[in-house]
Amino acid sequence: MRRDNSKETLLAVDIGNTNISCGLYLDGEMAWFGRLFTSTQRTADEYFGLLSPLLERLTGMEISHIVFASVVPELTRIWQQLFKKYIPVPVTQINALSKLGLGFHVADPSFIGADLIANAFGAWKKYKTNCIIIDLGTATKIQLVSETGQFEGAVIAPGLKTSAEQLTSKAAQLSQIEIAAPSALLGTNTKDAMLSGIVQGHAFMLEAFIRKVKEQYCAGKNVVTVITGGISELLVPLMPSVDILDKSLTLDGLHLAFQQLSRK
């Protein structure tokens, strides 16, 4: 890998159940983004074999630090081996025990997923108000962080693609379909009927949760709804309650968390 000491770069890595997202931050801005498919069967060497060609395309960037979060324990160890062997720079792992200034309603928040922490911290620091955060991944996660950095709690539901796969696997007459925006609320064929049920149904569920969270936790308060995740652009047109589409929220949260910890 080419190294150029003229520029220092932070590598942020978000290890999820479906994808591993990587971002390089230069002077506080994301300069590069890459995504790998998650597999617990790959070794550290195999993952670096996939990552290295992507990094080789970059010039003038010196990776000086790494920050990462993982919700896949088997891969946490593998990526730590990768960092140690191939990118020997200081590594910071972000989780619910990281001293970021977030508050919790439980004495031991260690059970809270690292992705939820990164999203909560990122939204709190970026938008500086009460934030409802929707993250569309293997699971759909809905959470609320207050303007003071209080992690109010979360909802975890089956993800949109996960639900679609479950439906098609259990119904003999329903075949696999490509997830896309439904053409109408009521489908006139099996494909359109399924797309409406899967996509519109997910949007309706999320709209109801947003409304209830605002009613029960944010009455009279300013609140913004932020959506992120791989298929977030698909649902935004169907969700009038969404204020901000932020595809890089999780990685930005890791970057901001690293900055916060570096100041201590």
Side-chain angles (χ1 to χ4, degrees):
M1 184 185 307
R2 176 175 174 173
R3 298 296 190 190
D4 182 343
N5 292 329
S6 64
K7 295 181 180 180
E8 292 190 343
T9 305
L10 173 72
L11 174 62
V13 180
D14 172 35
I15 303 171
N17 288 293
T18 301
N19 294 298
I20 299 171
S21 299
C22 306
L24 286 171
Y25 287 82
L26 179 65
D27 297 329
E29 299 293 333
M30 186 184 289
W32 169 87
F33 172 81
R35 178 179 288 131
L36 304 174
F37 180 71
T38 298
S39 172
T40 56
Q41 303 305 311
R42 291 195 181 113
T43 66
D45 295 335
E46 289 171 329
Y47 268 117
F48 186 72
L50 297 173
L51 182 64
S52 180
L54 302 177
L55 296 177
E56 287 287 358
R57 301 173 189 172
L58 307 171
T59 59
M61 291 187 180
E62 169 71 14
I63 297 177
S64 56
H65 294 85
I66 295 169
V67 61
F68 83 102
S70 174
V71 297
V72 188
E74 303 97 307
L75 292 184
T76 301
R77 175 183 54 82
I78 289 171
W79 276 76
Q80 286 173 329
Q81 291 174 351
L82 183 156
F83 299 145
K84 183 177 181 179
K85 184 175 181 179
Y86 293 105
I87 315 176
V89 298
V91 178
T92 301
Q93 182 177 357
I94 301 300
N95 55 41
L97 300 180
S98 301
K99 304 299 182 182
L100 301 175
L102 290 171
F104 302 93
H105 289 296
V106 293
D108 180 10
S110 60
F111 67 93
I112 300 172
D115 53 345
L116 293 173
I117 298 301
N119 284 340
F121 188 76
W124 177 38
K125 290 300 181 181
K126 291 179 75 171
Y127 303 113
K128 304 183 187 307
T129 188
N130 303 291
C131 293
I132 298 171
I133 307 154
I134 298 170
D135 187 353
L136 302 172
T138 307
T140 290
K141 289 149 285 188
I142 309 158
Q143 62 189 113
L144 174 66
V145 61
S146 76
E147 62 182 353
T148 61
Q150 185 72 22
F151 184 99
E152 298 291 348
V155 172
I156 301 176
L160 190 153
K161 288 186 177 180
T162 304
S163 299
E165 291 168 359
Q166 184 70 10
L167 174 63
T168 56
S169 70
K170 297 296 183 181
Q173 293 185 332
L174 301 181
S175 59
Q176 293 284 346
I177 59 171
E178 182 179 352
I179 300 299
S183 58
L185 181 61
L186 298 179
T188 55
N189 56 63
T190 300
K191 176 183 175 182
D192 288 342
M194 289 176 64
L195 284 176
S196 184
I198 293 167
V199 180
Q200 290 276 19
H202 214 72
F204 293 157
M205 175 195 73
L206 292 172
E207 283 286 301
F209 267 114
I210 292 169
R211 183 175 66 253
K212 285 297 185 180
V213 169
K214 288 181 177 180
E215 289 176 0
Q216 297 184 24
Y217 295 89
C218 305
K221 299 178 182 178
N222 181 58
V223 58
V224 298
T225 299
V226 185
I227 193 167
T228 190
I231 57 172
S232 51
E233 290 170 320
L234 176 65
L235 287 188
V236 167
L238 306 175
M239 296 180 60
S241 296
V242 170
D243 301 301
I244 300 168
L245 170 63
D246 188 342
K247 295 293 289 291
S248 63
L249 178 62
T250 308
L251 290 176
D252 285 350
L254 293 176
H255 168 241
L256 292 168
F258 173 80
Q259 289 186 321
Q260 174 81 1
L261 295 173
S262 296
R263 287 194 287 266
K264 294 185 177 181

